[in-house]
Amino acid sequence: ASLLSRLAAFTLAEVLITLGIIGIVAAMTLPTLIANHRAIEYKTRLNTAYSLISQAIEKLRADDEILNSSEYAANTFKDVLAPNFENIENKNIGKFSVDLSKYKSYNKNPIENGVLNDGMFTLKNGMSIYIENPGWKMYNFYIGISVDINGYQKGPNLWGHDLFTFVLSEDGKLLPMGASETVYSADEYCSKTSQSDLNGIACTYRAIIEPDYFKKLPH
């Protein structure tokens, strides 16, 4: 071989060292890349869910000029709301077979899943919609609308991670829970240390307005 080809060649040891370095760098950076991708995906899905629910409420408002959440008797709102979604996959809006105990709080403790049990249906994009409509202010609001942005069959099934709650106010406004007009504050009910069985219910507003919310979720 010529002198040039001998100088240009790599030894086996050099190749193995280079591959080892590449592997170490990949191992260090891949988790961050995956986490960033998931954060972007979750943020996009939450914004989509907010838009779809808002559109459904606006359609309902067009049919009912006075949209007062206190006027709906127990377990009636699910039947009124569901037809206003154009991408319904499953109108299983009565009693349903989803095991609500699989849902946990923001910091993975058991939750008060009664907030989710007054009706459920799924959308074609995989999202699951849950209704709270007891006919009175059981949790200090008349009607709650929660959404699992990647569906109940996929994890992590945690409030404030992939499960988010909105409230329909008495004057018909759809509000992300945790906003100033709602009854639960994010400081207390979107906390890494809270032991409340409602912890995570107030994360929705933060998740919508904070650009890096999903990057800061507890593991």
Side-chain angles (χ1 to χ4, degrees), residues 22-198:
I22 293 173
I24 293 172
V25 172
M28 294 173 61
T29 59
L30 191 58
T32 300
L33 292 175
I34 293 174
N36 288 341
H37 174 76
R38 183 176 63 182
I40 293 171
E41 178 187 1
Y42 278 25
K43 180 73 171 178
T44 300
R45 292 188 71 83
L46 176 58
N47 288 340
T48 299
Y50 191 13
S51 176
L52 291 174
I53 297 170
S54 297
Q55 290 173 30
I57 293 296
E58 288 306 310
K59 290 180 181 179
L60 183 57
R61 189 191 310 280
D63 295 331
D64 182 359
E65 191 171 322
I66 301 175
L67 187 57
N68 189 328
S69 63
S70 66
E71 294 184 348
Y72 291 92
N75 296 306
T76 60
F77 187 69
K78 62 183 186 297
D79 300 302
V80 174
L81 180 65
N84 292 282
F85 285 88
E86 295 181 353
N87 59 342
I88 287 282
E89 175 72 19
N90 174 21
K91 291 186 179 180
N92 184 16
I93 56 179
K95 296 298 180 181
F96 50 93
S97 59
V98 176
D99 180 9
L100 294 177
S101 67
K102 69 167 53 178
Y103 285 106
K104 303 298 180 183
S105 73
Y106 182 72
N107 50 354
K108 302 182 181 180
N109 292 321
I111 67 168
E112 172 48 73
N113 56 39
V115 181
L116 310 174
N117 69 355
D118 291 332
M120 175 264 190
F121 50 90
T122 56
L123 306 181
K124 291 180 180 178
N125 60 11
M127 296 180 183
S128 303
I129 306 290
Y130 300 94
I131 306 298
E132 166 61 12
N133 169 217
W136 59 290
K137 287 187 175 182
M138 181 178 293
Y139 301 104
N140 294 314
F141 57 88
Y142 284 103
I143 292 178
I145 304 169
S146 298
V147 55
D148 185 331
I149 59 175
N150 57 1
Y152 65 88
Q153 294 178 326
K154 294 182 180 180
N157 292 330
L158 300 175
W159 231 339
H161 292 239
D162 60 344
L163 178 68
F164 295 92
T165 298
F166 299 83
V167 63
L168 185 67
S169 68
E170 291 180 54
D171 58 356
K173 294 178 182 177
L174 181 70
L175 302 171
M177 195 68 85
S180 59
E181 304 97 319
T182 62
V183 294
Y184 295 102
S185 76
D187 289 340
E188 185 175 357
Y189 293 96
C190 187
S191 166
K192 294 179 181 180
T193 59
S194 172
Q195 298 303 308
S196 170
D197 58 7
L198 292 174

